[in-house]
Amino acid sequence: MSAPYHGRTAIASAFQTEFSQCSGCSVLQLARTACLGAIDAVGLRPKDVDGVVQFGLFNDSVPAEVVGAAIGSGDLSYVMDFAQGGQSACYMAMHAAMAVEAGLANTVLVYRALNGRSGVRIGRVKATGGASGYRYPLGFGAYPHYTAMWARRYLLDTGSTEADLGAIAVALRRWALLNERAVRTTPLSLDDYFASPYIAEPYRVEDCTIEVDGAAAILVTSLERAVDLHAPPIVISGSAWSSHGYDGDMGSSLLYDDYSRNFTNHLRERLWGTAGLGPEDVDVAELYDCFTGALAQNIEGLGLVERGAAGTFAREGHMNLGGRLPVNTNGGLLSEGYLHGMNTLTEAVWQLQGTSGSRQVDGAKVAVACSGAMHSGAAIVLTALR
Amino acid sequence: MTGWPPDPVDEAEVEFWRHLETGELRTPQCRRCDARTFPPLGGCPDCGGPEADMAFTAVSGGASLYSWTTIHRPLDDEFEDEAPYTVVVVDLDEGPRMYGLLSASVTIPLAPGMRLTFRPQIFRGRAVPAFTPSS
């Protein structure tokens, strides 16, 4: 079952603002900057935009139509605001591609913008619904707590250790040292990792992402049109979404069966089937990593490494520049910063466009990216024409 | 999400905590098909029965440990003084999965599948589900 937009739609460009602890400007301003950057990168004008898609949580964003108006877009024939978090970035790209393929719009912006550190800190907002009312009274109320439950079970079921989680944090910091945009730029050794204090066992400070202010945007259009624009088109070759045992509260996992395998386990076959490619074809992987255990489950769930082998893969240097499969080449959400996975997707685009500078993976033609850590999420396979 | 108009009171949630105040652990159970569910999700996810046919009925209190985390940083001022404390995910013998505290006095190492028994505990002035290793 492959959707008709696969192979016929493309990401034309990607743009990011700088990341900071305090942007000093509004979320609308951030979104505007990222969107105008993505438009300008391919030589289009705001009036050419006829679709806008965005995601946000707890009113931390600005609606798609508002950003359309703020940039002076053309009349919008497709808009969507999706009220989810880390699951969303790849899924929003899929939506934009669907809109293009369905003839609802020609040129669709996808953005994520937030003052995630200086404004609404989503980790500090009390959720409602699902099992939220049954966990807050236990002092079980923050993302590191929720995902630590999954990491614990992952370690138990795979025989992995805290040193394996540490190896992942160390590997991604190495990438961040090559990325001027990254927020965490102090070199990290395994000793440093073990010296960082626990937040919720087995997670330490260095297992967790870091909140930032910033914005990122991509531009999606038909492949036919993208080849005439000013940047190499990145083909949306395959994609999939999965929701499994999600009760609507990110902090609750009472309906989910196996905490050692996340949503990627449930979309893997569909994803590679839609792309007509497999894990062995991937040159670079950009995978959602709000926490080290999420990266382990994502890389294993997509079939890129054997189950339980993520830590060893990191420790042996295979995720690094020049390694067997470079992973999270911007330093990931762990070290570049938490732009809610939109920066995971933009990095995949830049790697395939060959514009990642000192962290460029030589000759990268196939990338896989994913969005999400637990119950639900999306993944996308991107290919370069060159 | 907080805001205006305020969210309506979740009656199922109120009922769950009311039973717990009296020392009883109950979960919604469908009168039509007997299936138990947790958390409450309106009606019955198994047979599609309406909320009116869901009743909170007592469970035995027997459970198996599925996962746990010891929280050192509650990231919520209300709980800072309690840390570290351990939150568990347990599979009740009757089926549903549930959150609870590990009873404060437990010092033996935890292991997946460990048999646990429900013991209500007062935490921050409120009765909450807690579990202790079965003797």
Side-chain angles (χ1 to χ4, degrees):
Chain A
M1 180 182 68
S2 189
Y5 63 80
H6 292 133
R8 292 170 46 84
T9 51
I11 300 176
S13 64
F15 192 88
Q16 260 172 235
T17 66
E18 68 173 19
F19 292 174
S20 70
Q21 302 294 295
C22 183
S23 69
C25 65
S26 68
V27 176
L28 177 60
Q29 199 62 256
L30 290 170
R32 190 175 174 278
T33 302
C35 288
L36 289 174
I39 296 165
D40 188 56
V42 282
L44 288 174
R45 296 165 307 132
K47 289 280 180 233
D48 296 320
V49 171
D50 57 2
V52 184
V53 167
Q54 67 92 23
F55 67 99
L57 270 181
F58 306 128
N59 292 323
D60 70 350
S61 185
V62 279
E65 287 171 272
V66 175
V67 171
I71 64 170
S73 73
D75 284 352
L76 299 175
S77 50
Y78 186 77
V79 293
M80 192 183 59
D81 299 293
F82 190 60
Q84 289 205 31
Q87 307 96 314
S88 308
C90 290
Y91 194 46
M92 295 301 92
M94 291 164 65
H95 259 274
M98 281 193 283
V100 168
E101 181 64 23
L104 293 172
N106 290 312
T107 307
V108 183
L109 277 169
V110 178
Y111 67 87
R112 175 67 169 126
L114 72 168
N115 278 324
R117 182 64 181 79
S118 70
V120 178
R121 300 179 71 179
I122 58 162
R124 303 291 176 102
V125 180
K126 280 233 172 9
T128 58
S132 59
Y134 305 91
R135 58 176 179 75
Y136 280 122
L138 305 172
F140 187 63
Y143 284 86
H145 308 165
Y146 319 145
T147 53
M149 285 289 185
W150 290 59
R152 164 70 59 210
R153 194 67 207 200
Y154 168 80
L155 297 185
L156 289 167
D157 288 356
T158 64
S160 298
T161 64
E162 291 184 12
D164 289 316
L165 299 179
I168 290 170
V170 168
L172 296 205
R173 184 63 52 82
R174 185 188 290 256
W175 278 112
L177 302 182
L178 303 174
N179 178 5
E180 68 286 347
R181 190 181 282 107
V183 169
R184 276 180 170 149
T185 53
T186 309
L188 183 74
S189 68
L190 194 61
D191 286 345
D192 298 332
Y193 168 83
F194 278 115
S196 82
Y198 277 127
I199 291 184
E201 295 180 43
Y203 281 156
R204 298 174 154 85
V205 169
E206 295 290 357
D207 288 294
C208 305
T209 183
I210 182 164
E211 299 156 304
V212 295
D213 294 358
I218 61 168
L219 196 66
V220 175
T221 188
S222 66
L223 176 58
E224 185 181 11
R225 181 142 177 274
V227 293
D228 292 330
L229 299 178
H230 295 179
I234 304 307
V235 183
I236 298 174
S237 297
S239 62
W241 163 273
S242 174
S243 182
H244 180 89
Y246 179 42
D247 71 9
D249 167 36
M250 278 303 294
S252 306
S253 303
L254 296 177
L255 303 180
Y256 199 95
D257 44 8
D258 181 354
Y259 292 11
S260 75
R261 295 175 171 92
N262 71 8
F263 74 97
T264 52
N265 192 60
H266 299 285
L267 61 66
R268 176 181 56 238
E269 287 185 21
R270 277 187 289 130
L271 175 72
W272 298 120
T274 61
L277 295 167
E280 66 283 359
D281 298 310
V282 174
D283 299 312
V284 59
E286 308 292 350
L287 308 176
Y288 196 83
D289 62 332
C290 50
F291 301 93
T292 51
L295 179 55
Q297 293 199 23
N298 282 336
I299 196 170
E300 294 174 17
L302 292 173
L304 296 164
V305 307
E306 301 260 313
R307 179 161 158 84
T312 302
F313 197 73
R315 189 179 305 105
E316 292 178 350
H318 302 308
M319 291 186 185
N320 300 345
L321 187 63
R324 199 186 299 166
L325 177 65
V327 175
N328 292 11
T329 55
N330 55 3
L333 305 177
L334 285 173
S335 279
E336 188 187 52
Y338 192 54
L339 208 78
H340 238 153
M342 198 64 201
N343 49 330
T344 308
L345 186 55
T346 51
E347 180 71 5
V349 173
W350 290 327
Q351 282 288 348
L352 296 186
Q353 289 184 329
T355 58
S356 288
S358 61
R359 53 183 200 277
Q360 179 64 45
V361 174
D362 274 347
K365 288 189 175 59
V366 178
V368 63
C370 74
S371 308
M374 297 185 280
H375 334 75
S376 57
I380 197 163
V381 178
L382 301 173
T383 56
L385 289 178
R386 65 193 167 92
Chain B
M1 212 178 296
T2 55
W4 189 261
D7 293 320
V9 173
D10 182 335
E11 289 180 14
E13 202 175 306
V14 170
E15 184 170 356
F16 174 86
W17 291 108
R18 186 162 49 78
H19 292 302
L20 208 70
E21 287 292 339
T22 67
E24 260 197 312
L25 186 61
R26 295 195 183 196
T27 71
Q29 184 172 21
C30 179
R31 291 194 184 96
R32 291 186 177 183
C33 74
D34 283 340
R36 280 184 187 277
T37 184
F38 198 80
L41 292 169
C44 176
D46 275 43
C47 74
E51 187 164 29
D53 281 346
M54 302 297 286
F56 273 87
T57 59
V59 295
S60 63
S64 299
L65 181 60
Y66 180 69
S67 192
W68 67 92
T69 180
T70 299
I71 293 173
H72 297 257
R73 295 273 312 279
L75 301 172
D76 178 339
D77 293 342
E78 184 188 346
F79 295 96
E80 294 294 338
D81 293 344
E82 305 290 340
Y85 53 91
T86 299
V87 178
V88 294
V89 175
V90 303
D91 290 321
L92 299 176
D93 288 353
E94 291 78 6
R97 188 162 275 184
M98 185 173 281
Y99 294 117
L101 286 181
L102 181 70
S103 297
S105 56
V106 175
T107 54
I108 61 171
L110 300 180
M114 177 184 267
R115 292 294 302 160
L116 301 172
T117 304
F118 166 70
R119 292 264 185 281
Q121 180 179 323
I122 303 297
F123 191 60
R124 306 301 302 165
R126 175 176 188 171
V128 300
F131 293 85
T132 196
S134 307
S135 50

